[in-house]
């Protein structure tokens, strides 16, 4: 009896966190790493270094794997099409992945499906931005369709003068995407998974809290979310996955919009395990990394029920403490029920280097659960002497 070999393009923390799930299920995981020091290399036996934008490199890496999947969405679509033509099992397929690579393609797809989109337009000049704002009002949001992440490649324009000052963006990329500035109460995430044969499952809709464009905390299920909004958000994410032929894990990032039916707008899509799904590693029957591997192999999907009434995930970014392990005794003693996930990265200010998960005790409320998670994250980030205060 043989077990499958899964190839992951990209050696970041998502690939690293697929490894324990692969080991538990008996699968072999291989990673195409960007450099010898990316964090997945330390936990995967076969992690050759190579350029994922080079077709021959991808061909060589794909040799001997049963399925090729991704840690990120930046592999050129034409290379993936070439691999498929040569018989490589690529999951998700490039036609689906394009909706996460290109925000203009995504906006058109959401519109075609009749799902809740903000007002948007492709723009090729400052005049186009001004014309859009004449119809929808200032401020507007200008986005680079490709390559943006964690708030990068996004600019809020509050006036015609701001639009003129952004003219150099068209030199880097054109057309760009302009959207209405959405008034929203909070951000949500609808996380789903789908197999090539069409089985799909959704986790509870979660609340995502951003700080300076970076995910800071996730609370699942989203506190006090209206049942009909949660159901509609799950249904929308599942429809996207099914209609676009997504395989593996997909996150639909949403704006909650009270008073504007159906209560949310779709912000962005990610077709891979996602930061807003890290809570599932300890807080759901099946975590997103195990589910992703099951999905791309077309295996039956696992249950997605939450294991507690409240689950909180909190990221910790690089801070004052360079020696993370030195803070572990204090951090683990402070909250023995909190689970720590460190990515094995060098510490740089503002860099995501790990997260913690807490499943709330029965008597805890959301604020208490968040405080428990923050206590551990802050101790690790700042060191035992400084980090024992809540955010």
């Amino acid at each position: 009896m043989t077990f499958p070999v899964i190839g992951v393009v990209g050696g970041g923390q998502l690939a690293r966190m697929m490894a324990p799930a692969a080991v538990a299920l008996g699968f072999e995981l291989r990673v195409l790493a960007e450099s010898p020091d990316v964090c997945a290399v330390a936990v995967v036996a076969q992690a050759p270094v190579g350029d994922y934008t080079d077709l021959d490199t991808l061909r060589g890496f794909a040799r001997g794997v049963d399925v090729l999947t991704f840690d990120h969405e930046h592999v050129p679509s034409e290379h993936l099409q070439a691999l498929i033509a040569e018989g490589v099992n690529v999951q998700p397929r490039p036609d689906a992945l394009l909706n996460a690579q290109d925000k203009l393609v995504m906006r058109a797809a959401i519109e075609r499906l009749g799902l809740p989109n903000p007002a948007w337009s492709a723009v090729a000049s400052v005049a186009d931005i001004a014309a859009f704002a004449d119809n929808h009002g200032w401020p507007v949001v200008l986005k680079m369709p490709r390559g943006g992440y964690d708030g990068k490649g996004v600019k809020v324009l509050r006036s015609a003068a701001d639009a003129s000052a952004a003219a150099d963006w068209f030199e880097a990329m054109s057309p760009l995407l302009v959207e209405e500035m959405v008034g929203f109460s909070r951000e949500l995430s609808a996380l789903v998974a789908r197999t090539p044969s069409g089985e799909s499952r959704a986790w509870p809709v979660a609340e995502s809290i951003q700080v300076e464009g970076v995910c800071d905390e996730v609370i699942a299920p989203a506190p006090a979310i209206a049942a009909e909004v949660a159901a509609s958000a799950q249904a929308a994410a599942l429809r996207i996955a099914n209609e676009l032929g997504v395989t593996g894990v997909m996150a639909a990032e949403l704006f909650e919009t009270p008073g504007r039916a159906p209560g949310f707008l779709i912000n962005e899509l990610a077709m891979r395990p996602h930061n807003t799904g890290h809570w599932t590693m300890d807080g759901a029957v099946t975590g997103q990394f195990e589910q992703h591997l099951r999905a791309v192999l077309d295996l039956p999907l696992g249950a997605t029920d939450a294991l507690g009434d409240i689950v909180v995930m909190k990221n910790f970014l690089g801070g004052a403490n360079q020696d993370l392990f030195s803070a572990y005794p204090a951090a683990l003693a402070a909250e023995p029920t909190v689970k720590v996930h460190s990515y094995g990265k060098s510490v740089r200010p503002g860099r995501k280097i790990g997260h913690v998960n807490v499943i709330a005790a029965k008597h805890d409320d959301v604020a208490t659960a968040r405080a428990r998670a923050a206590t551990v994250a802050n101790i690790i980030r700042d060191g035992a002497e400084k980090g024992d205060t809540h955010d």
Side-chain angles (χ1 to χ4, degrees), residues 105-302:
V105 172
M106 178 206 71
R107 282 283 169 242
I110 299 303
E111 187 170 292
R112 186 174 67 249
L113 295 176
L115 294 172
N117 244 350
W120 67 281
S121 180
V123 290
S125 66
V126 170
D128 288 346
I129 298 172
F132 179 86
D134 285 343
N135 290 326
H136 300 285
W138 299 99
V140 299
V141 181
L142 187 66
K143 295 182 177 180
M144 288 191 173
R146 289 177 172 264
Y149 66 98
D150 284 350
K152 297 175 178 65
V154 177
K155 188 185 292 286
V156 176
L157 308 178
R158 302 189 180 279
S159 66
D162 283 354
S164 296
D168 60 335
W169 276 36
F170 293 105
E171 297 171 13
M173 191 177 300
S174 185
L176 300 174
L177 170 64
V178 67
E179 298 175 353
E180 67 171 303
M181 184 79 166
V182 174
F184 61 94
S185 56
R186 58 179 171 174
E187 295 188 54
L188 303 172
S189 175
L191 192 76
V192 301
R194 181 180 178 273
T195 68
S197 58
E199 182 189 3
S200 56
R201 287 182 180 264
W203 285 270
V205 174
E207 177 180 354
S208 171
I209 300 169
Q210 312 291 313
V211 176
E212 296 182 354
V214 178
C215 180
D216 182 60
E217 285 181 87
V218 174
I219 307 168
I225 189 170
E228 62 272 18
V229 173
S232 293
Q234 285 183 321
L238 288 167
R239 186 166 175 224
I240 292 167
N242 283 297
E243 294 282 348
L244 299 184
V246 176
T247 52
V249 168
M250 184 197 83
E253 298 179 71
L254 314 172
F255 295 129
E256 187 179 48
T257 55
R260 182 172 175 174
F264 64 90
L265 294 172
I266 295 164
N267 180 22
E268 292 188 356
L269 302 177
M271 293 181 189
R272 50 173 170 75
H274 193 250
N275 200 168
T276 61
H278 289 352
W279 70 269
T280 66
M281 297 172 71
D282 304 298
V285 174
T286 309
Q288 66 167 345
F289 296 100
E290 176 185 340
Q291 196 83 299
H292 185 75
L293 300 183
R294 289 165 71 148
V296 298
L297 288 167
D298 209 13
L299 292 170
L301 298 178

Side-chain angles (χ1 to χ4, degrees), residues 4-8 28-31 46 58-69 87-90 297:
V5 178
I6 301 166
V8 183
E28 180 183 342
L29 198 73
R30 299 177 186 173
V31 166
Q46 290 198 41
L58 290 169
R59 278 195 184 107
F61 178 67
R63 231 173 257 123
V65 307
D66 293 288
V67 64
L68 189 73
T69 191
V88 177
N89 180 15
V90 175
L297 288 167

